[in-house]
Amino acid sequence: MSLPSVTGLDHSIVRVNDLQAATASYQKLGFSLAPQGRHHTGTTNQTLILDANYIELRCFPPGQRATSLFNDFADTDEGPVAVALQTTGIAAGSLQAFGQEKQI
């Protein structure tokens, strides 16, 4: 399937259970880090800066895991869970990717 509005990969999302420990591990590997952030939903994140995009380490507080997009994972699971795509327009990309049923 061709999605003309998708222009590339924006970033990947890696679920972690301990943001501080994960940040320290990636820092030891030599990644450049942006300041830690917090989403309006309460999740915290750390971005690992690459040349044209980034990797997002995202931590879900225990009380939020059951209602997150990734609630099918066990509480102890960590690792890649999603990618975010670069698009010419999020509405166009969402409609094409999900047949007008679900927004990215």
Side-chain angles (χ1 to χ4, degrees), residues 9-32:
L9 175 68
D10 187 71
H11 68 282
S12 61
I13 301 170
V14 177
R15 179 181 165 171
V16 299
N17 292 319
D18 183 336
L19 187 59
Q20 298 303 105
T23 297
S25 294
Y26 280 92
Q27 198 165 24
K28 286 179 188 175
L29 292 172
F31 282 91
S32 298

Side-chain angles (χ1 to χ4, degrees), residues 84-101:
L85 303 174
Q86 293 174 345
T87 66
T88 56
I90 189 64
S94 297
L95 294 175
Q96 290 175 351
F98 294 103
Q100 301 184 9
E101 295 175 14

Side-chain angles (χ1 to χ4, degrees), residues 1-101:
M1 171 170 71
S2 175
L3 299 174
S5 65
V6 174
T7 59
L9 175 68
D10 187 71
H11 68 282
S12 61
I13 301 170
V14 177
R15 179 181 165 171
V16 299
N17 292 319
D18 183 336
L19 187 59
Q20 298 303 105
T23 297
S25 294
Y26 280 92
Q27 198 165 24
K28 286 179 188 175
L29 292 172
F31 282 91
S32 298
L33 307 173
Q36 287 187 5
R38 178 176 296 278
H39 295 107
H40 71 281
T41 59
T43 57
T44 54
N45 73 336
Q46 175 70 63
T47 54
L48 314 172
I49 306 303
L50 305 173
D51 288 336
N53 44 35
Y54 61 97
I55 299 170
E56 177 185 354
L57 305 178
R58 189 179 295 182
C59 184
F60 294 86
Q64 244 187 2
R65 291 180 186 153
T67 59
S68 82
L69 292 174
F70 313 112
N71 62 355
D72 291 335
F73 295 90
D75 280 350
T76 56
D77 287 351
E78 294 184 292
V81 291
V83 296
L85 303 174
Q86 293 174 345
T87 66
T88 56
I90 189 64
S94 297
L95 294 175
Q96 290 175 351
F98 294 103
Q100 301 184 9
E101 295 175 14

